[in-house]
Amino acid sequence: MLSHDGHNCLDVDECLENNGGCQHTCVNVMGSYECCCKEGFFLSDNQHTCIHRSEEGLSCMNKDHGCSHICKEAPRGSVACECRPGFELAKNQRDCILTCNHGNGGCQHSCEDTADGPECSCHPQYKMHTDGRSCLEREDTALEVTESNATSVVDGDKRVKRRLLMETCAVNNGGCDRTCKDTSTGVRCSCPVGFTLQLDGKTCKDIDECQTRNGGCDHFCKNTVGSFDCSCKKGFKLLTDEKSCQDVDECSLDRTCDHSCINHPGTFACACNRGYTLYGFTHCGDTDECSINNGGCQQVCVNTVGNYECQCHPGYKLHWNKKDCVEVKGLPPTSVSPHVSLHCGKSGGGDRCFLKCHSGIDLSSGLQGAYSVTCGSSSPLRSKQQKSNDSAFGDVATIRTSVTFKLNEGKCSLKKAELFPEGLRPALPEKHSSVKESFRYVNLTCSSGKQVPRAPGRPSTPKEMFITVEFELETNQKEVTASCDLSCIVKRTEKRLRKAIRTLRKATHREQFHLQLSGMNLDVAKKPPRTSERQAESCGVGQGHVENQCVSCRAGTYYDGAQERCILCPNGTFQNEEGQIICEPCPRPGNSGAMKTPEAWNVSECGGLCQPGEYSADGFAPCQLCALGTFQPEAGRTSCFPCGGGLATKHQGATSFQDCETRVQCSPGHFYNTTTHRCIRCPAGTYQPEFGKNSCVSCPGNTMTDFDGSTNITQCKNRRCGGELGDFTGYIESPNYPGNYPANTECTWTINPPPKRRILIVVPEIFLPIEDDCGDYLVMRKTSSSNSVTTYETCQTYERPIAFTSRSKKLWIQFKSNEGNSARGFQVPYVTYDEDYQELIEDIVRDGRLYASENHQEILKDKKLIKALFDVLAHPQNYFKYTAQESREMFPRSFIRLLRSKVSRFLRPYK
């Protein structure tokens, strides 16, 4: 760096910042720095990280391999030595000789390569230090005159003329720091951009651009010698003008969130579909609603993926509130009126079908427009997982069947259907129906498959689409005749059902399969329009466009496909969930079912219902307060839950177990046992964030806590990890990333590239607890043997990125954590590339300029840019996917210049 006098050059101590990026010890040397390792370790090829040295095994793993810098495995068990950039291999093929290309050969001023190594020299007005490298400034000397004591004016004039004659740009650059120009009045000095000329007319001083308007930087400005650098806050990226900062849209990246992603300036948030719980910041796992107060069910609670349902014992039926069970009087226990009907008939030369839901409607949306609609209620026997499709119980036979229709192109689209020019009709007239069936339960699911590939250069066709319909109907003794018993009735019904499915298949392929919910006819799916007719990408079920983003309709509203916006639930209806396309009618509408508010988001908003802390025989007024020793947290219930253990409540009308007068107050991470009247720690796999609860919440999905007594959802962690990785690109990711990884875990991955391909790895950042005994570590080596060639090994946190190539053609990777540790971990991308590019790739990743600036470091942390780079490395022909303009917009100019010089030098022999 230039000293304050504007003349001399001073050594920069790189070790002062982030330990120079060295894993162990950083040693500053003149004009450069070196990383060193502790005893028992040796420096890896990337010159920064340290690898544990084995006493036995392959030659390079032996501490006596003899190589001064880099040891490479050679055929037949021998070794080949290489030197770091800026060094040359000595004649003994082991030692490395310093050259002027590395740290200016250690010289402070000028360096010249000789047979014996670098030879240093100093600029005029400086003399060589005794160390043979440093330069010291000479004392100012006046021009020598023949007679030193002469003081006459003539002698003075001679000295002035002589000085003017000597002061030319040809001698010592005219004394100028930078640019010198000869003029009639003497030399004229000038300075380059970023410097200003001082009062002496010779010296150039660096301008601190950051002092004026922050250098024009949006966020941060850092002054450098002769220039300055702009950088951005976390969550923003620097644009190609190298001054402006733009928010990184994390939601546009792959693998950001499992379900929904909401972008915010500088950050993002993930959200899960109904029935799922967020864990690890970005992941969604099924919520076990039954673990919390039995799901509110009076009798049986059955958890399903993304949902749950209450069921009743024989002799009872489910109340309208879908939680309580009421005794069935005067009817067979399992005789249930149909909830769903299917009508098909001829229309326009083909079949048209309507699936009409009468009650028990449940709608959930998924990714990429996928959705699931459930109508009616399934038989309680359904949860017993019988092997056969049919089951008989007493005088009733239950018939179940499932069918999947595959469409080669199309999109799930649950929107209002335009059926006829004259307007919508609710369904086909019954006298023209070729199919007329009634069911007690139907589940319809629409989902997208893979993109159908096309020839290169042509756009891919829309995705395949699958529509799955699951039917359940019942036959009973009333249908039995003298000539046809119950078994005969079942066979006739199955035959009729097969005919209905054939008709439904034809209608589906003709886009004539419609769903009728609450009197509204809806398309089940749509084939894509022609290119000229294509419009903006539509949103998923129950979502509308708001400022070019898809937003779910909130509770208390529904999505109107015709108006393409969210509408308030009309009077007499309610909706307690987001992203729905209908509102549920209040119980007993027109009587006590009048609404309290026009925007009802819960059934409790319906008038006449018993409120939390109340109950009645039917859930409607007049209501009674829950007696002492009982509580009820929901509206419209027919009973209250007992506290248990003989506990009383503080008052009548209690709404929570926390109103029960327990003998001790349980803290978070515990639950109150009403039998022993003690606080019990939540078992592993559960948590409890509140005081005074009588149960613990199950962790979502397949997650598990490290210990018992957990108090927060963040302590639920996914332990899944390891496996065989892809041939070209992929990620090595700690379990539960970006949440904290679990304690006492072990993961193993393997990368086996195709023939003639090598592995490049980028570690953007890694977060591990700092410990002396390396309790948690990540290691990459050739095989599982500790003696095999090791590429990378660390047990510490590094926020500075690093890139390196594998020392072996295949990699065995292991991550281990001990029983007491947890941290954020890592997400490490890798790519395999053609080994013909080995020299070029190593030249790039070993160049310190790749990591020198913060902007270059941010490139190695930018998932979108790394994906683009890896895409081209894995498949060079994909380079032509990116225009020159796109490349300029993605990468800073300094980075492009660095790569261009490397590539040009690599390709020069072939020009």
Side-chain angles (χ1 to χ4, degrees), residues 7-9 30 98-114 117-129 131-136 172:
H7 290 266
N8 202 12
C9 292
M30 185 71 72
L98 179 69
T99 70
C100 294
N101 290 329
H102 180 82
N104 197 39
C107 301
Q108 187 172 1
H109 284 186
S110 301
C111 177
E112 184 176 350
D113 284 315
T114 68
E119 185 176 288
C120 302
S121 59
C122 298
H123 299 319
Q125 296 186 4
Y126 291 85
K127 64 181 180 180
M128 182 66 68
H129 189 273
D131 63 8
R133 295 184 176 188
S134 307
C135 296
L136 301 175
N172 193 25

mmCIF file of all heavy atoms in Angstrom, residues 7-9 30 98-114 117-129 131-136 172:
data_model
loop_
_atom_site.group_PDB
_atom_site.id
_atom_site.type_symbol
_atom_site.label_atom_id
_atom_site.label_comp_id
_atom_site.label_asym_id
_atom_site.label_seq_id
_atom_site.Cartn_x
_atom_site.Cartn_y
_atom_site.Cartn_z
ATOM 1 N N HIS A 7 5.101 8.364 -1.690
ATOM 2 C CA HIS A 7 6.236 7.835 -2.447
ATOM 3 C C HIS A 7 6.499 6.370 -2.149
ATOM 4 O O HIS A 7 6.661 5.563 -3.049
ATOM 5 C CB HIS A 7 7.519 8.644 -2.128
ATOM 6 C CG HIS A 7 7.501 10.025 -2.687
ATOM 7 N ND1 HIS A 7 8.039 10.351 -3.907
ATOM 8 C CD2 HIS A 7 6.985 11.174 -2.187
ATOM 9 C CE1 HIS A 7 7.872 11.633 -4.137
ATOM 10 N NE2 HIS A 7 7.238 12.168 -3.106
ATOM 11 N N ASN A 8 6.588 6.058 -0.885
ATOM 12 C CA ASN A 8 7.046 4.740 -0.481
ATOM 13 C C ASN A 8 5.902 3.724 -0.487
ATOM 14 O O ASN A 8 4.724 4.074 -0.379
ATOM 15 C CB ASN A 8 7.658 4.829 0.927
ATOM 16 C CG ASN A 8 8.604 3.677 1.189
ATOM 17 O OD1 ASN A 8 8.972 2.957 0.268
ATOM 18 N ND2 ASN A 8 8.995 3.510 2.446
ATOM 19 N N CYS A 9 6.253 2.439 -0.603
ATOM 20 C CA CYS A 9 5.277 1.349 -0.573
ATOM 21 C C CYS A 9 5.469 0.537 0.697
ATOM 22 O O CYS A 9 6.586 0.108 0.998
ATOM 23 C CB CYS A 9 5.434 0.433 -1.789
ATOM 24 S SG CYS A 9 4.974 1.243 -3.333
ATOM 25 N N MET A 30 6.597 -10.215 3.552
ATOM 26 C CA MET A 30 6.678 -9.012 2.741
ATOM 27 C C MET A 30 5.928 -9.199 1.425
ATOM 28 O O MET A 30 6.244 -10.086 0.639
ATOM 29 C CB MET A 30 8.145 -8.669 2.452
ATOM 30 C CG MET A 30 8.331 -7.360 1.698
ATOM 31 S SD MET A 30 7.962 -5.912 2.698
ATOM 32 C CE MET A 30 9.382 -5.916 3.786
ATOM 33 N N LEU A 98 10.975 -19.329 -4.808
ATOM 34 C CA LEU A 98 10.168 -18.119 -4.914
ATOM 35 C C LEU A 98 10.512 -17.370 -6.196
ATOM 36 O O LEU A 98 11.678 -17.300 -6.601
ATOM 37 C CB LEU A 98 10.416 -17.233 -3.694
ATOM 38 C CG LEU A 98 9.667 -15.903 -3.644
ATOM 39 C CD1 LEU A 98 8.177 -16.132 -3.449
ATOM 40 C CD2 LEU A 98 10.217 -15.040 -2.500
ATOM 41 N N THR A 99 9.504 -16.767 -6.857
ATOM 42 C CA THR A 99 9.720 -15.916 -8.031
ATOM 43 C C THR A 99 9.085 -14.555 -7.772
ATOM 44 O O THR A 99 8.359 -14.363 -6.791
ATOM 45 C CB THR A 99 9.107 -16.532 -9.302
ATOM 46 O OG1 THR A 99 7.672 -16.470 -9.200
ATOM 47 C CG2 THR A 99 9.540 -17.982 -9.474
ATOM 48 N N CYS A 100 9.356 -13.633 -8.662
ATOM 49 C CA CYS A 100 8.798 -12.277 -8.520
ATOM 50 C C CYS A 100 7.282 -12.257 -8.681
ATOM 51 O O CYS A 100 6.640 -11.252 -8.373
ATOM 52 C CB CYS A 100 9.442 -11.331 -9.540
ATOM 53 S SG CYS A 100 11.216 -11.054 -9.244
ATOM 54 N N ASN A 101 6.701 -13.342 -9.181
ATOM 55 C CA ASN A 101 5.249 -13.393 -9.375
ATOM 56 C C ASN A 101 4.494 -13.575 -8.073
ATOM 57 O O ASN A 101 3.273 -13.439 -8.045
ATOM 58 C CB ASN A 101 4.882 -14.533 -10.330
ATOM 59 C CG ASN A 101 5.323 -14.248 -11.741
ATOM 60 O OD1 ASN A 101 5.357 -13.087 -12.158
ATOM 61 N ND2 ASN A 101 5.682 -15.287 -12.489
ATOM 62 N N HIS A 102 5.171 -13.958 -7.001
ATOM 63 C CA HIS A 102 4.507 -14.157 -5.711
ATOM 64 C C HIS A 102 4.963 -13.077 -4.741
ATOM 65 O O HIS A 102 6.132 -13.044 -4.326
ATOM 66 C CB HIS A 102 4.856 -15.535 -5.141
ATOM 67 C CG HIS A 102 4.183 -15.785 -3.816
ATOM 68 N ND1 HIS A 102 2.884 -16.212 -3.729
ATOM 69 C CD2 HIS A 102 4.632 -15.656 -2.540
ATOM 70 C CE1 HIS A 102 2.560 -16.354 -2.459
ATOM 71 N NE2 HIS A 102 3.611 -16.022 -1.713
ATOM 72 N N GLY A 103 4.055 -12.173 -4.399
ATOM 73 C CA GLY A 103 4.372 -11.121 -3.427
ATOM 74 C C GLY A 103 5.542 -10.265 -3.843
ATOM 75 O O GLY A 103 6.323 -9.825 -2.987
ATOM 76 N N ASN A 104 5.733 -10.075 -5.174
ATOM 77 C CA ASN A 104 6.842 -9.275 -5.705
ATOM 78 C C ASN A 104 8.181 -9.838 -5.239
ATOM 79 O O ASN A 104 9.155 -9.107 -5.036
ATOM 80 C CB ASN A 104 6.705 -7.806 -5.278
ATOM 81 C CG ASN A 104 7.579 -6.874 -6.131
ATOM 82 O OD1 ASN A 104 7.697 -7.086 -7.351
ATOM 83 N ND2 ASN A 104 8.179 -5.868 -5.511
ATOM 84 N N GLY A 105 8.208 -11.184 -5.030
ATOM 85 C CA GLY A 105 9.444 -11.836 -4.615
ATOM 86 C C GLY A 105 9.913 -11.425 -3.240
ATOM 87 O O GLY A 105 11.069 -11.670 -2.861
ATOM 88 N N GLY A 106 9.036 -10.781 -2.459
ATOM 89 C CA GLY A 106 9.435 -10.297 -1.138
ATOM 90 C C GLY A 106 10.122 -8.953 -1.186
ATOM 91 O O GLY A 106 10.533 -8.416 -0.148
ATOM 92 N N CYS A 107 10.280 -8.379 -2.399
ATOM 93 C CA CYS A 107 10.960 -7.088 -2.538
ATOM 94 C C CYS A 107 9.985 -5.950 -2.272
ATOM 95 O O CYS A 107 8.834 -6.000 -2.690
ATOM 96 C CB CYS A 107 11.542 -6.935 -3.943
ATOM 97 S SG CYS A 107 12.739 -8.226 -4.380
ATOM 98 N N GLN A 108 10.501 -4.901 -1.630
ATOM 99 C CA GLN A 108 9.640 -3.753 -1.368
ATOM 100 C C GLN A 108 9.436 -2.920 -2.618
ATOM 101 O O GLN A 108 8.344 -2.410 -2.842
ATOM 102 C CB GLN A 108 10.223 -2.910 -0.230
ATOM 103 C CG GLN A 108 9.286 -1.786 0.214
ATOM 104 C CD GLN A 108 9.770 -1.077 1.444
ATOM 105 O OE1 GLN A 108 10.824 -1.393 1.972
ATOM 106 N NE2 GLN A 108 9.008 -0.087 1.905
ATOM 107 N N HIS A 109 10.480 -2.774 -3.430
ATOM 108 C CA HIS A 109 10.350 -1.964 -4.646
ATOM 109 C C HIS A 109 10.443 -2.847 -5.894
ATOM 110 O O HIS A 109 9.461 -3.450 -6.285
ATOM 111 C CB HIS A 109 11.415 -0.860 -4.658
ATOM 112 C CG HIS A 109 11.093 0.274 -3.738
ATOM 113 N ND1 HIS A 109 11.844 1.438 -3.664
ATOM 114 C CD2 HIS A 109 10.095 0.436 -2.836
ATOM 115 C CE1 HIS A 109 11.322 2.248 -2.776
ATOM 116 N NE2 HIS A 109 10.255 1.665 -2.244
ATOM 117 N N SER A 110 11.599 -2.965 -6.501
ATOM 118 C CA SER A 110 11.739 -3.686 -7.772
ATOM 119 C C SER A 110 12.245 -5.109 -7.530
ATOM 120 O O SER A 110 13.006 -5.374 -6.608
ATOM 121 C CB SER A 110 12.722 -2.950 -8.704
ATOM 122 O OG SER A 110 12.252 -1.635 -8.940
ATOM 123 N N CYS A 111 11.792 -6.008 -8.411
ATOM 124 C CA CYS A 111 12.186 -7.416 -8.290
ATOM 125 C C CYS A 111 12.578 -7.947 -9.658
ATOM 126 O O CYS A 111 11.921 -7.658 -10.660
ATOM 127 C CB CYS A 111 11.026 -8.240 -7.714
ATOM 128 S SG CYS A 111 11.377 -10.009 -7.598
ATOM 129 N N GLU A 112 13.664 -8.723 -9.711
ATOM 130 C CA GLU A 112 14.100 -9.333 -10.966
ATOM 131 C C GLU A 112 14.459 -10.787 -10.679
ATOM 132 O O GLU A 112 15.217 -11.098 -9.752
ATOM 133 C CB GLU A 112 15.309 -8.587 -11.539
ATOM 134 C CG GLU A 112 15.750 -9.127 -12.896
ATOM 135 C CD GLU A 112 16.894 -8.316 -13.503
ATOM 136 O OE1 GLU A 112 17.204 -7.239 -12.951
ATOM 137 O OE2 GLU A 112 17.471 -8.762 -14.497
ATOM 138 N N ASP A 113 13.889 -11.711 -11.485
ATOM 139 C CA ASP A 113 14.174 -13.134 -11.315
ATOM 140 C C ASP A 113 15.572 -13.459 -11.828
ATOM 141 O O ASP A 113 15.978 -13.039 -12.925
ATOM 142 C CB ASP A 113 13.141 -13.982 -12.076
ATOM 143 C CG ASP A 113 11.822 -14.040 -11.343
ATOM 144 O OD1 ASP A 113 11.838 -14.251 -10.110
ATOM 145 O OD2 ASP A 113 10.769 -13.881 -11.990
ATOM 146 N N THR A 114 16.329 -14.222 -11.039
ATOM 147 C CA THR A 114 17.648 -14.706 -11.437
ATOM 148 C C THR A 114 17.703 -16.201 -11.179
ATOM 149 O O THR A 114 16.764 -16.791 -10.625
ATOM 150 C CB THR A 114 18.762 -13.999 -10.641
ATOM 151 O OG1 THR A 114 18.691 -14.419 -9.265
ATOM 152 C CG2 THR A 114 18.627 -12.478 -10.720
ATOM 153 N N GLY A 117 17.174 -17.004 -7.625
ATOM 154 C CA GLY A 117 15.957 -16.499 -7.003
ATOM 155 C C GLY A 117 15.784 -15.018 -7.248
ATOM 156 O O GLY A 117 16.557 -14.393 -7.991
ATOM 157 N N PRO A 118 14.782 -14.388 -6.600
ATOM 158 C CA PRO A 118 14.515 -12.968 -6.823
ATOM 159 C C PRO A 118 15.660 -12.085 -6.330
ATOM 160 O O PRO A 118 16.276 -12.366 -5.298
ATOM 161 C CB PRO A 118 13.251 -12.716 -5.996
ATOM 162 C CG PRO A 118 12.665 -14.059 -5.756
ATOM 163 C CD PRO A 118 13.805 -15.013 -5.701
ATOM 164 N N GLU A 119 15.950 -11.032 -7.123
ATOM 165 C CA GLU A 119 16.964 -10.047 -6.735
ATOM 166 C C GLU A 119 16.273 -8.702 -6.606
ATOM 167 O O GLU A 119 15.608 -8.231 -7.528
ATOM 168 C CB GLU A 119 18.072 -9.991 -7.783
ATOM 169 C CG GLU A 119 19.232 -9.084 -7.391
ATOM 170 C CD GLU A 119 20.359 -9.132 -8.410
ATOM 171 O OE1 GLU A 119 21.069 -10.158 -8.470
ATOM 172 O OE2 GLU A 119 20.492 -8.159 -9.171
ATOM 173 N N CYS A 120 16.377 -8.091 -5.427
ATOM 174 C CA CYS A 120 15.649 -6.855 -5.140
ATOM 175 C C CYS A 120 16.513 -5.629 -5.436
ATOM 176 O O CYS A 120 17.742 -5.672 -5.309
ATOM 177 C CB CYS A 120 15.215 -6.818 -3.679
ATOM 178 S SG CYS A 120 14.184 -8.219 -3.205
ATOM 179 N N SER A 121 15.861 -4.525 -5.795
ATOM 180 C CA SER A 121 16.538 -3.233 -5.967
ATOM 181 C C SER A 121 15.572 -2.135 -5.565
ATOM 182 O O SER A 121 14.374 -2.374 -5.408
ATOM 183 C CB SER A 121 16.997 -3.048 -7.423
ATOM 184 O OG SER A 121 15.878 -3.103 -8.300
ATOM 185 N N CYS A 122 16.107 -0.912 -5.396
ATOM 186 C CA CYS A 122 15.280 0.200 -4.905
ATOM 187 C C CYS A 122 15.187 1.299 -5.958
ATOM 188 O O CYS A 122 16.063 1.456 -6.815
ATOM 189 C CB CYS A 122 15.872 0.773 -3.616
ATOM 190 S SG CYS A 122 15.924 -0.418 -2.265
ATOM 191 N N HIS A 123 14.138 2.091 -5.851
ATOM 192 C CA HIS A 123 13.958 3.239 -6.736
ATOM 193 C C HIS A 123 14.977 4.322 -6.381
ATOM 194 O O HIS A 123 15.546 4.299 -5.278
ATOM 195 C CB HIS A 123 12.539 3.798 -6.595
ATOM 196 C CG HIS A 123 11.475 2.822 -6.964
ATOM 197 N ND1 HIS A 123 11.578 1.983 -8.042
ATOM 198 C CD2 HIS A 123 10.267 2.536 -6.386
ATOM 199 C CE1 HIS A 123 10.512 1.238 -8.127
ATOM 200 N NE2 HIS A 123 9.699 1.539 -7.127
ATOM 201 N N PRO A 124 15.236 5.258 -7.296
ATOM 202 C CA PRO A 124 16.126 6.381 -6.983
ATOM 203 C C PRO A 124 15.679 7.094 -5.719
ATOM 204 O O PRO A 124 14.491 7.128 -5.407
ATOM 205 C CB PRO A 124 16.008 7.288 -8.211
ATOM 206 C CG PRO A 124 15.604 6.346 -9.326
ATOM 207 C CD PRO A 124 14.737 5.311 -8.694
ATOM 208 N N GLN A 125 16.638 7.691 -5.013
ATOM 209 C CA GLN A 125 16.430 8.382 -3.739
ATOM 210 C C GLN A 125 16.173 7.418 -2.589
ATOM 211 O O GLN A 125 15.811 7.819 -1.483
ATOM 212 C CB GLN A 125 15.288 9.408 -3.824
ATOM 213 C CG GLN A 125 15.576 10.551 -4.784
ATOM 214 C CD GLN A 125 14.503 11.623 -4.742
ATOM 215 O OE1 GLN A 125 13.570 11.556 -3.942
ATOM 216 N NE2 GLN A 125 14.662 12.617 -5.598
ATOM 217 N N TYR A 126 16.295 6.084 -2.854
ATOM 218 C CA TYR A 126 16.159 5.086 -1.792
ATOM 219 C C TYR A 126 17.387 4.197 -1.815
ATOM 220 O O TYR A 126 18.027 4.015 -2.848
ATOM 221 C CB TYR A 126 14.894 4.220 -1.979
ATOM 222 C CG TYR A 126 13.610 4.972 -1.768
ATOM 223 C CD1 TYR A 126 13.028 5.710 -2.799
ATOM 224 C CD2 TYR A 126 12.984 4.956 -0.524
ATOM 225 C CE1 TYR A 126 11.865 6.409 -2.610
ATOM 226 C CE2 TYR A 126 11.799 5.646 -0.314
ATOM 227 C CZ TYR A 126 11.234 6.370 -1.354
ATOM 228 O OH TYR A 126 10.069 7.062 -1.153
ATOM 229 N N LYS A 127 17.745 3.619 -0.668
ATOM 230 C CA LYS A 127 18.885 2.706 -0.600
ATOM 231 C C LYS A 127 18.434 1.384 0.000
ATOM 232 O O LYS A 127 17.442 1.324 0.735
ATOM 233 C CB LYS A 127 20.003 3.326 0.233
ATOM 234 C CG LYS A 127 19.641 3.564 1.701
ATOM 235 C CD LYS A 127 20.812 4.199 2.447
ATOM 236 C CE LYS A 127 20.438 4.437 3.921
ATOM 237 N NZ LYS A 127 21.554 5.045 4.681
ATOM 238 N N MET A 128 19.145 0.307 -0.312
ATOM 239 C CA MET A 128 18.793 -1.041 0.112
ATOM 240 C C MET A 128 19.095 -1.245 1.595
ATOM 241 O O MET A 128 20.150 -0.861 2.093
ATOM 242 C CB MET A 128 19.554 -2.072 -0.733
ATOM 243 C CG MET A 128 19.214 -3.520 -0.395
ATOM 244 S SD MET A 128 17.498 -3.945 -0.785
ATOM 245 C CE MET A 128 17.578 -3.859 -2.574
ATOM 246 N N HIS A 129 18.175 -1.849 2.273
ATOM 247 C CA HIS A 129 18.360 -2.215 3.673
ATOM 248 C C HIS A 129 19.277 -3.439 3.738
ATOM 249 O O HIS A 129 19.453 -4.151 2.751
ATOM 250 C CB HIS A 129 16.994 -2.540 4.304
ATOM 251 C CG HIS A 129 17.026 -2.718 5.783
ATOM 252 N ND1 HIS A 129 17.296 -3.926 6.385
ATOM 253 C CD2 HIS A 129 16.805 -1.826 6.796
ATOM 254 C CE1 HIS A 129 17.243 -3.786 7.695
ATOM 255 N NE2 HIS A 129 16.938 -2.509 7.979
ATOM 256 N N ASP A 131 18.670 -6.191 4.969
ATOM 257 C CA ASP A 131 17.952 -7.454 4.750
ATOM 258 C C ASP A 131 17.866 -7.827 3.279
ATOM 259 O O ASP A 131 17.382 -8.898 2.920
ATOM 260 C CB ASP A 131 16.542 -7.411 5.357
ATOM 261 C CG ASP A 131 15.655 -6.348 4.717
ATOM 262 O OD1 ASP A 131 16.054 -5.737 3.697
ATOM 263 O OD2 ASP A 131 14.535 -6.131 5.233
ATOM 264 N N GLY A 132 18.321 -6.928 2.390
ATOM 265 C CA GLY A 132 18.313 -7.218 0.961
ATOM 266 C C GLY A 132 16.950 -7.131 0.312
ATOM 267 O O GLY A 132 16.813 -7.453 -0.866
ATOM 268 N N ARG A 133 15.943 -6.663 1.035
ATOM 269 C CA ARG A 133 14.580 -6.592 0.486
ATOM 270 C C ARG A 133 13.942 -5.222 0.703
ATOM 271 O O ARG A 133 13.306 -4.699 -0.186
ATOM 272 C CB ARG A 133 13.687 -7.659 1.144
ATOM 273 C CG ARG A 133 14.108 -9.079 0.842
ATOM 274 C CD ARG A 133 13.139 -10.076 1.447
ATOM 275 N NE ARG A 133 13.471 -11.437 1.105
ATOM 276 C CZ ARG A 133 12.723 -12.497 1.370
ATOM 277 N NH1 ARG A 133 11.583 -12.342 1.991
ATOM 278 N NH2 ARG A 133 13.107 -13.711 1.018
ATOM 279 N N SER A 134 14.123 -4.668 1.895
ATOM 280 C CA SER A 134 13.485 -3.388 2.222
ATOM 281 C C SER A 134 14.297 -2.224 1.665
ATOM 282 O O SER A 134 15.508 -2.345 1.425
ATOM 283 C CB SER A 134 13.349 -3.249 3.738
ATOM 284 O OG SER A 134 12.697 -4.373 4.281
ATOM 285 N N CYS A 135 13.633 -1.077 1.471
ATOM 286 C CA CYS A 135 14.266 0.128 0.940
ATOM 287 C C CYS A 135 14.113 1.269 1.930
ATOM 288 O O CYS A 135 13.025 1.482 2.478
ATOM 289 C CB CYS A 135 13.658 0.513 -0.406
ATOM 290 S SG CYS A 135 13.958 -0.726 -1.707
ATOM 291 N N LEU A 136 15.195 2.007 2.158
ATOM 292 C CA LEU A 136 15.189 3.136 3.073
ATOM 293 C C LEU A 136 15.381 4.422 2.292
ATOM 294 O O LEU A 136 16.142 4.474 1.312
ATOM 295 C CB LEU A 136 16.306 2.991 4.109
ATOM 296 C CG LEU A 136 16.269 1.727 4.976
ATOM 297 C CD1 LEU A 136 17.506 1.655 5.862
ATOM 298 C CD2 LEU A 136 15.007 1.703 5.818
ATOM 299 N N ASN A 172 14.486 10.352 -12.949
ATOM 300 C CA ASN A 172 13.670 10.100 -11.745
ATOM 301 C C ASN A 172 12.231 10.565 -11.913
ATOM 302 O O ASN A 172 11.607 11.056 -10.968
ATOM 303 C CB ASN A 172 14.314 10.787 -10.536
ATOM 304 C CG ASN A 172 13.706 10.323 -9.222
ATOM 305 O OD1 ASN A 172 13.161 9.213 -9.142
ATOM 306 N ND2 ASN A 172 13.763 11.171 -8.212
#
